[in-house]
Amino acid sequence: MSLKPGPGRDAASARRSAFSLAFITRFFAAESAGGLILMASALAALLIANSPWASAYFSTLHINLAGLSIAHWINDGLMAVFFLLVGLEIKREMLAGQLASWGQRALPGFAALGGMLVPALIYLFVNRSTPETQGGWAIPAATDIAFALGVLSLLGKRVPVSLKIFLSALAILDDLGAVVIIALFYTSGLSTSMLLASAGVVALLIVLNRCGVRRLLPYLVAGALLWFFMLQSGVHATLAGVILALCIPLGHRDQPARSPLLFLEEKLHPWVAFAVVPIFGFANAGVSLAGISPSNLLDPVPMGVALGLLLGKQIGVFGFAAIAIRTGLAKLPEGSRWTQLYGIALLCGIGFTMSLFIGALAFAGSPLLVDEVKVGVLLGSVVAAILGVIVLRRAA
């Protein structure tokens, strides 16, 4: 005896499908356009840092406001909003999106694992003789989804939608790995009292979730308190954004329009894509090239970062994805070819936002090493983007 879905169930399914399609369309539109703006802001920062306005640029970033410099407000404050959005994306994809089942997670999961592991190993190999720089091993391990999708948008319909979804899912898992790395390896000088206060706020957020509170205001107020306590605790304050996101309820799948998580994610997307990330890029991409010679590119830090992004990402992402496909654990994205998958692996070498962020944490006490990180990130990301576009154009 076969059971046919009733009209009510068909209508609910149609609403979910329509909402998901519209949401994905808006997501790619915002990420792609935001990526292009990010490129422009990074280029502007690089030009200004090597112009007569360089001193004004750098001095402005060090202006103190309410106890923190403008650079710190951007990196610790604005980026908390970025991490809030990352957390919302991770939760949505894990519960009701492209990562909702083990089958869907297999290919981007293997690719993300390889894309974090191999670049880190390459960086450590290049820096094997300089122990003081080995702390930057995680710098080339992250992919910048906005930048990568911005480059991908230049190719239009030459790239199947399935590969864009694969890239976004991979980058989300990549971001999750980066969040864990920051929490475990880039915290110092912990304050027990502030950690306890942070734990109390997290408990409050969990209670709000369990009690079915769907208004966003209580969550956002508690999230602001959590950010302050974590800022004082020694754990990087941006992680408060991820914790807050994981506590905001998704709601019922049959009523996506009423979901607090989806509502907040939709509202944050344009602000993060068109303001937060470009401002971060403008504040962090500026590096003076006056004292840098071609021989400096062979220094361990810039070489390790550049090779980690350029070689490590393509080897790790494509190699681990190929293993998953060949062993039957995953399938090649629908309508795509192996050459196109390799082109996407090259684009994963664009590690701008998260790589610069981790670099600033890894070498917080050494401006020279932070500048070398910027050079390595820019070099590796630009070459990876160019090669990725060439491969994808030829594959099309």
Side-chain angles (χ1 to χ4, degrees):
M1 179 180 179
S2 62
L3 295 176
K4 297 182 179 179
R9 186 175 300 179
D10 286 342
S13 177
R15 285 197 301 271
R16 287 197 302 271
S17 299
F19 185 86
S20 298
L21 180 61
F23 192 90
I24 289 173
T25 301
R26 290 195 299 272
F27 173 84
F28 284 127
E31 291 288 354
S32 300
L36 297 176
I37 294 176
L38 176 58
M39 295 179 206
S41 65
L43 179 60
L46 194 59
L47 292 175
I48 291 175
N50 293 276
S51 74
W53 298 288
S55 58
Y57 169 81
F58 290 112
S59 61
T60 300
L61 291 176
H62 289 90
I63 293 175
N64 195 286
L65 293 174
L68 293 176
S69 67
I70 290 180
H72 275 100
W73 275 114
I74 293 171
N75 292 344
D76 292 355
L78 277 184
M79 286 301 285
V81 180
F82 168 79
F83 275 85
L84 171 58
L85 181 61
V86 167
L88 294 172
E89 291 174 349
I90 290 171
K91 182 172 182 177
R92 170 177 55 80
E93 293 292 343
M94 288 290 188
L95 294 181
Q98 297 300 318
L99 303 173
S101 68
W102 287 109
Q104 291 172 303
R105 296 169 192 163
L107 186 60
F110 271 89
L113 177 62
M116 289 184 285
L117 181 61
V118 179
L121 291 176
I122 289 179
Y123 179 91
L124 287 173
F125 177 78
V126 174
N127 287 265
R128 65 191 182 280
S129 301
T130 53
E132 65 274 12
T133 63
Q134 291 176 5
W137 60 270
I139 295 170
T143 296
D144 191 308
I145 183 173
F147 222 132
L149 286 175
V151 172
L152 206 58
S153 69
L154 302 176
L155 297 168
K157 296 182 179 179
R158 292 185 179 92
V159 180
V161 175
S162 62
L163 280 179
K164 295 179 182 179
I165 294 175
F166 164 72
L167 175 60
S168 63
L170 186 159
I172 286 170
L173 289 175
D174 205 300
D175 284 343
L176 177 59
V179 168
V180 173
I181 288 171
I182 291 170
L184 295 179
F185 299 101
Y186 294 104
T187 57
S188 60
L190 298 180
S191 166
T192 304
S193 59
M194 289 299 162
L195 282 176
L196 290 174
S198 300
V201 178
V202 173
L204 173 61
L205 286 168
I206 294 174
V207 169
L208 290 173
N209 183 288
R210 293 295 184 184
C211 291
V213 176
R214 298 174 64 83
R215 291 184 60 196
L216 283 171
L217 183 59
Y219 291 99
L220 297 179
V221 172
L225 286 174
L226 179 62
W227 177 84
F228 174 78
F229 290 139
M230 292 190 75
L231 180 67
Q232 305 298 322
S233 72
V235 176
H236 204 272
T238 52
L239 297 178
V242 178
I243 296 172
L244 171 60
L246 298 180
C247 293
I248 293 176
L250 176 63
H252 200 277
R253 296 184 185 184
D254 288 339
Q255 297 176 320
R258 299 180 183 179
S259 166
L261 186 148
L262 293 180
F263 175 81
L264 182 59
E265 184 180 359
E266 186 176 13
K267 295 300 180 183
L268 283 179
H269 248 302
W271 287 100
V272 170
F274 302 129
V276 173
V277 173
I279 289 173
F280 172 84
F282 183 76
N284 287 272
V287 54
S288 175
L289 303 177
I292 297 178
S293 64
S295 61
N296 292 130
L297 298 178
L298 300 178
D299 289 346
V301 170
M303 182 58 65
V305 172
L307 290 180
L309 290 172
L310 181 59
L311 296 181
K313 279 294 184 180
Q314 60 176 299
I315 294 171
V317 171
F318 186 76
F320 277 57
I323 291 172
I325 294 170
R326 292 300 190 189
T327 56
L329 295 173
K331 296 180 179 179
L332 195 66
E334 183 179 355
S336 65
R337 306 170 183 171
W338 282 101
T339 314
Q340 291 173 313
L341 183 63
Y342 176 65
I344 293 296
L346 278 166
L347 289 187
C348 288
I350 302 174
F352 191 80
T353 305
M354 197 68 82
S355 294
L356 291 179
F357 186 77
I358 295 176
L361 296 179
F363 302 123
S366 177
L368 175 61
L369 290 179
V370 171
D371 282 348
E372 290 194 342
V373 167
K374 294 177 182 179
V375 172
V377 169
L378 291 171
L379 180 62
S381 298
V382 169
V383 176
I386 293 172
L387 293 179
V389 169
I390 292 173
V391 170
L392 288 170
R393 283 182 64 89
R394 290 181 177 276

